[in-house]
Structure formats: structure tokens, C-alpha cells
Amino acid sequence: MGSGKQRWKISFHKSPSPLLLLKKQTHPQNQQPSSIPVEFLCPISGSIMADPVIVSSGHSFERNCVHACVSLSFNPTLPDGAAADADFSTVIPNLALKSTILNWCRHHLSPKTHRFFTAEKIVRKLIPQMPESELARTPSEISVASSEESVTPRIGRTTPLPLTTRPSCYSSSSSCDIEILGTNFSEEEELVVKLRSSQIHEQEEALVSLRKMTRTLEETRVRLCTPRLLSVLKSLISSRYSSLQVNAVAALVNLSLEKQNKVKIVRSGIVPPLIDVLRGGFPESRDHAAGALFSLSLDDQNKTAIGVLGALPPLLHALRSDSVRTRHDSALALYHLSLVQSNRVKMIKLGVVQILLGMVKSGHMLGRVMLVLCNLAASGEGRAAMLDGGAVECFISFLNQGEFESEATRESCVAALYGLSYGGLRFKGLAKEAGAEETLMKLEETGSENAKKKVRRILEVLREKHEEDEDVNWEELLNSDDDLSRTQSQAGGRTGSSSC
């Protein structure tokens, strides 16, 4: 902005309608051609297209006008009176038309590029069903937007939300309309400028726009995940204003959905502020922070870093959150982070075994909790902590009850027992005391094929005879740490791992 090369046109009147823009564009006083080829004009903005794209219906539109329609869930009516298809999911650059337009413009005039903010204002004027209150909401109204509004890392959610549940950009009739002339001022730079503004409402407007732009469009998420934009988001995530914090974290969740963005986001240094939000941010911000950490933990390159940066304690604490979304996303984040041995060791030191076993006994989030316990049972440290914490008795009791959220939950329980079966004589003693053999024999007849294989392996362990077995006093073994250490040393202890 400071180079002086950009030219700004500032007006304090309302933007003309697309029809007036077209008339003005073709007026003789503007020394423009009296006839512009109709196929060069965007049906939405009425202006010559600088970046035409083809949508699923076969029509061509200006790219940012398509983005604005998707963001606002609006189906435009074309000049010929036929309604365009609502499916904007396929957007293909119309390179042939773009080349034709540029060749024509070299001899006549330059195409006008509509940035997303301008395109959104044009589309809003074309939506008759949108209440005026939606077009002029204040920052305080935006701050109470429902947590349902952002995209969380759940597979398959690509449908835009209803217009009435979406946050709207703050727009005041007294604010000036700034139009940027020149093609070097990118969409990303325009967002960064607004996000760095000293005006709270401008920052909020940019965050809400970023959040909506990245909600459904994959290419937009990739294009806007830049070091500069992440740096600004990092500072806004720590904002003391609820609206800024909520929308900043929600926008980050959307950006993190793309695989190629995940490592870039973690390396930008944005995880520590996320952790702070999860610890003590606004309630909706904590929901999004848990979702962001879950999404970022899906990439193997991020797992160790997230654990080192201190995400494990607040994620464990979030398992007790009043918010269902926070609890579930935190549990899924812990599952993916516990795939790494260094994180498993940290979690065990934090007392995760007792927390998770308590949740199993209470029937709280069984499916997700069992997945984490499976990962812990796959390591020596995790097995030892789980055996000492009463996991064998807990799992056998759970299997005896026969009440499961799903077959997958029962398989996870069997898989956790399978991991514990590598615990040597300690496991055998606890399993015998809990009556595991009878329970497992029933499962061998009724379980899935995958569960049956693991059950047979566990039964083999229980039925194996060792020279040490005849001399072992099981009661003494279960109650004496000294005898436990001696016996495990004699037995050698099985080593191995399994995944569920």
C-alpha cells in the first residue's frame, strides 16, 4: 500500500446496481464501445469478466461472483429467465473465454476485477428474500452467532448451511466504498489489510468473510493459507473480543481441513495460541480450538510437535467439558496424538489411564475412549499403567454386560485386551481373577471375524503353560510389587504391538 503504485477510487455514495454499471460501462461519454459482446459479461455483476469460470450448469460467471453466491447460498436468475443450477461445486476456469476477452480488451478497454467483498455486495442486492436486518447486523450481533456456523473437521460435510444461520459481514451505510484499481492487489492482501486494521468492525468483517470463503471451497482454503494471513490470524486468535476470537479460530479450522495446509499451519506457530484458547477462551472458541487441534493432529508430521507444545493437558481436561463438540473433538485429537510413543508416555504421566477407565465405567464416550486405550495398550508403559489401574477387570466386566454403542466399540475393547495380553504373567493373573476365559469363549462364538482372531490369541496366552506357572502364587503376585518385578523378569515379558 505504501509504494504509491496502487490507485484508489473512493466514493461515499451507494454502489450502483449491476444494470446501471452496465449502462455506465457502455455509455458513449465513457469512450467505450457501444456494443460489448454479451458472452463477455458476467450474468451476476453485468461487467466484463476478468476471470471467467464455468459452473456445473454450463454458464460462465466471474469467479468471485460464484464464490459470493456459494457463500450466501444464492441461486442467480439469468437474463434469459432460466434459473441456474444450484450446484456450484464444480468450478472450472474458462481459459478460452478469458483469452478471447483479453484479446478484445487490448483494443477497447480493461476488464474490471471484482474482489470478493465487492462481488458479495452485488450478490446481496440480488437476494430479495434476505431481510434487511441480515444486511446490517452489528458486530455485537455477529458475536453471538451459533457454534453450528463453522465447518468442523468432520468428513463429508460440504453442504453450505442455511442463510439464516450464517454470520453476515458488518456493513454500515455510512462507510465508504473503497474500490481498488489495479490487478496486483490480491485477494489475500486485501484480507490482510483489513485484518490488520485498527477498526474492530473491519477486522470482524474480514474474519467473517474469510470464514465463509473457506467454508466449502477447497481451492480457496489452499490459496489463502499463506504465512502472512496465518500470522495475522495468530494474533487475532488471542483477541479479548469474543467475535474476533471465535471467527479467527473458526476460519483456522476451515483452513486446516486441507491436507497440504496442516503442516504449514503448525509451523506458523499458531498451536500455542490455540492451546491458550482451549484452556480459557470463550466457550464457542474452545469448541473450534478442539476441532482445529483434532484436524491438525491427522497429519503424522504434526503429532509429535503438538504434544511437545503442550496440547495434551488441556485436551485431557476438555474431556470433562460441558460442550459435546469439545469433548468429542478432544477425544479424537488424543486418539491421533496417542499413535506416537512420545505422546503416550506424556499421557500416562498425566494420569490418562485412570481418567479414561473412569469414563469406560460410566459409559461416557465409549467408542472414542476405547480407541485411545487401544493405542496405550500397544506400548509397554501403557500396558503397565493399565494393568496396575484395573483395566483387565474393567474390560471383562464391560464385555460381560453385552451393551455396546456399536460392534466397533466391542472390537476396540477386545483389541485393548489383546494389547494387554503382551503383559506376561501379570496379565494372566489378572485375567484369571476376572474370569476372562469364560467371557472370551462366548465372544469367540458370537464376535466378528476380526474380534475372533484376537480372542483366540488371548485365549492361547491364558492357556499357555510355563515352568514358572506351577510355582506362582497368583494372589501374592497380584498384591506384591516386588514379586511382580521378579516374576516379570523371569518370564521375560512379551513385547509387541497391535493396532485396532
Side-chain angles (χ1 to χ4, degrees), residues 230-307:
L230 290 175
S231 176
V232 182
L233 275 183
K234 179 181 175 182
S235 62
L236 292 174
I237 284 173
S238 303
S239 174
R240 68 180 185 274
Y241 296 100
S242 64
S243 176
L244 296 184
Q245 187 182 98
V246 167
N247 285 298
V249 183
L252 181 67
V253 172
N254 295 345
L255 292 173
S256 73
L257 297 180
E258 296 307 314
K259 181 175 176 58
Q260 57 190 298
N261 290 349
K262 295 182 189 297
V263 174
K264 189 186 302 184
I265 290 172
V266 170
R267 290 179 178 174
S268 72
I270 215 164
V271 171
L274 272 181
I275 293 173
D276 291 338
V277 169
L278 187 61
R279 281 196 178 106
F282 296 99
E284 187 180 348
S285 299
R286 293 199 294 269
D287 283 347
H288 297 317
L293 289 171
F294 160 46
S295 178
L296 295 172
S297 68
L298 293 174
D299 194 291
D300 290 341
Q301 296 183 64
N302 290 341
K303 290 178 170 60
T304 300
I306 293 174

Side-chain angles (χ1 to χ4, degrees), residues 332-442:
L332 289 172
L334 288 170
Y335 163 69
H336 288 283
L337 294 174
S338 63
L339 291 169
V340 176
Q341 173 63 12
S342 60
N343 287 334
R344 288 197 288 257
V345 173
K346 290 185 178 72
M347 290 168 66
I348 291 164
K349 291 180 178 178
L350 291 169
V352 68
V353 170
Q354 290 302 325
I355 295 173
L356 298 182
L357 289 179
M359 295 175 71
V360 172
K361 293 174 182 177
S362 64
H364 186 52
M365 292 200 306
L366 284 174
R368 289 169 172 79
V369 168
M370 279 297 182
L371 290 175
V372 181
L373 288 170
C374 282
N375 288 343
L376 295 177
S379 67
E381 296 88 348
R383 282 194 294 271
M386 291 172 69
L387 290 174
D388 290 341
V392 175
E393 181 183 1
C394 177
F395 294 159
I396 296 300
S397 175
F398 176 65
L399 292 172
N400 282 331
Q401 292 174 7
E403 298 179 1
F404 311 101
E405 293 179 344
S406 64
E407 181 61 28
T409 302
R410 179 165 69 169
E411 287 191 15
S412 296
C413 186
V414 172
L417 274 174
Y418 176 78
L420 293 177
S421 69
Y422 286 88
L425 293 179
R426 175 67 167 163
F427 170 76
K428 291 182 67 173
L430 291 168
K432 286 180 181 292
E433 187 180 67
E437 188 168 354
E438 181 180 352
T439 301
L440 292 171
M441 288 174 64
K442 292 178 182 178

Side-chain angles (χ1 to χ4, degrees), residues 89-204:
S89 58
T90 302
V91 178
I92 303 173
N94 194 337
L95 299 180
L97 179 58
K98 183 175 182 179
S99 176
T100 303
I101 291 174
L102 290 177
N103 287 332
W104 184 86
C105 288
R106 288 193 186 100
H107 302 92
H108 298 87
L109 52 85
S110 298
K112 178 180 179 180
T113 302
H114 286 295
R115 301 299 173 191
F116 178 81
F117 298 107
T118 306
E120 188 182 48
K121 290 179 181 178
I122 292 174
V123 172
R124 284 183 182 280
K125 293 179 180 179
L126 300 176
I127 303 178
Q129 71 273 23
M130 178 177 281
E132 289 298 324
S133 59
E134 286 291 323
L135 295 175
R137 290 170 65 185
T138 63
S140 60
E141 289 175 311
I142 296 176
S143 67
V144 297
S146 168
S147 62
E148 291 288 332
E149 293 168 359
S150 86
V151 173
T152 54
R154 292 179 173 81
I155 298 173
R157 179 174 177 181
T158 58
T159 305
L161 292 169
L163 186 63
T164 55
T165 66
R166 286 170 172 264
S168 301
C169 289
Y170 171 66
S171 175
S172 172
S173 58
S174 62
S175 61
C176 64
D177 181 18
I178 301 178
E179 180 183 340
I180 303 165
L181 302 178
T183 58
N184 294 327
F185 200 76
S186 68
E187 188 175 51
E188 178 252 5
E189 187 171 357
E190 185 174 355
L191 281 168
V192 169
V193 169
K194 283 179 171 286
L195 291 173
R196 287 176 174 168
S197 170
S198 59
Q199 300 297 317
I200 300 299
H201 77 270
E202 287 191 5
Q203 292 178 314
E204 188 171 47

